[in-house]
Amino acid sequence: MRRGRFRRKALVGAVCALVMTGTTALTGCGGEDPDAGTNGVGKLPPDRIQARTRAAADGAAAVRLAGSVTAGGRTYKLDMRLKKDGGTGSVTAEGATFQLLRIGEELYLMADAGFWTGGAEGEESDTAAAEKLNGKYVKVPEGDPSYEKFTGFTDKAVLLDGLLTLHGTLSTDGRHEQAGLRTIRITGDKGAGGTLDVSLEGTAYPMLLSRAGGAGTLIFSDWGKDFPLEEPAEDETVDYGKQLPAS
């Protein structure tokens, strides 16, 4: 009887030795459970992890995202804080940096004089006008062609819906760490369709996104942390009416 018990113990030990890879072990083989103390999403199939993290992102009151996005042949460097009723932050494209502020439907853009003159020598009157806009919050009219484009950078729902999409067949790619938090990585077409690191601690928020085709990398942080959105002072604001000046 005792000999049979020892034989079974030895057999279990041999099987555990075979399945041990790196620091990961099967629960019950004497190794630590990699999901111990986590939110449990690491045990889910990749499609359910993606659904869980999308729901978490949609339900969050606020988020900060920073990094780069390539779209339409242009690369945009973003550092934006977003919530349901607006957002604020900076965008850099083609060497020009501008600040955006949206409160409800009201959208403001702040940039230096070079932005408004296209960075080139212009007519004297144009240069003078650009200098007056330097460092001012310029109200973007809703009828202006740039309104929809700029608004997209400040719209949490629109921006996340367009970004948090992996292409191709989903799979998982191990455990990782981002900003001191343990994450599970999901991939589209083994990384060719993008990768997304999802937090294993607390709420299953997206933490790090690498877009398909090398089209940018974004870090997500400050999930659920509110921030103020205040209209700029009147003496810091310029209202151009129905259309912005050419830039």
Side-chain angles (χ1 to χ4, degrees):
M1 190 79 155
R2 186 175 297 175
R3 185 179 299 171
R5 187 162 60 247
F6 288 156
R7 187 178 293 121
R8 284 194 300 273
K9 257 182 113 174
L11 181 59
V12 169
V15 171
C16 287
L18 286 173
V19 299
M20 293 278 285
T21 55
T23 58
T24 304
L26 290 184
T27 304
C29 286
E32 295 184 1
D33 179 359
D35 292 299
T38 72
N39 53 28
V41 297
K43 298 179 179 180
L44 301 177
D47 59 332
R48 290 187 60 190
I49 297 176
Q50 178 172 250
R52 183 76 66 86
T53 197
R54 288 293 298 268
D58 290 343
V63 64
R64 180 177 183 176
L65 59 87
S68 61
V69 174
T70 299
R74 294 183 179 181
T75 297
Y76 302 90
K77 184 178 179 181
L78 310 178
D79 188 355
M80 300 295 301
R81 301 191 71 182
L82 311 170
K83 56 184 179 178
K84 184 178 179 180
D85 58 346
T88 184
S90 67
V91 179
T92 301
E94 298 184 342
T97 298
F98 52 93
Q99 305 289 321
L100 291 173
L101 169 64
R102 182 175 65 85
I103 307 171
E105 300 301 318
E106 303 293 330
L107 177 66
Y108 301 89
L109 184 154
M110 179 193 288
D112 61 18
F115 176 88
W116 298 108
T117 59
E121 293 289 333
E123 296 293 334
E124 186 175 346
S125 58
D126 293 337
T127 302
E131 287 295 338
K132 291 180 179 180
L133 300 180
N134 182 39
K136 297 285 188 179
Y137 283 99
V138 178
K139 189 173 182 180
V140 182
E142 291 189 43
D144 190 90
S146 61
Y147 180 87
E148 184 176 352
K149 176 180 178 180
F150 289 145
T151 298
F153 288 119
T154 66
D155 191 312
K156 174 178 174 285
V158 170
L159 200 55
L160 293 185
D161 186 57
L163 291 173
L164 296 179
T165 300
L166 299 179
H167 303 280
T169 303
L170 297 179
S171 58
T172 56
D173 185 26
R175 310 303 175 94
H176 300 268
E177 185 177 302
Q178 175 63 30
L181 297 177
R182 290 174 290 172
T183 64
I184 180 78
R185 180 170 296 168
I186 56 176
T187 71
D189 279 348
K190 298 182 179 180
T195 69
L196 181 65
D197 284 22
V198 178
S199 178
L200 286 171
E201 302 183 39
T203 305
Y205 288 126
M207 300 295 292
L208 174 66
L209 171 71
S210 294
R211 302 186 72 210
T217 300
L218 288 166
I219 295 173
F220 302 91
S221 61
D222 293 345
W223 286 105
K225 293 184 180 180
D226 197 15
F227 59 92
L229 286 174
E230 300 177 354
E231 289 191 10
E234 189 173 343
D235 61 353
E236 298 177 341
T237 307
V238 177
D239 188 341
Y240 251 87
K242 294 184 178 181
Q243 189 169 357
L244 290 180
S247 64

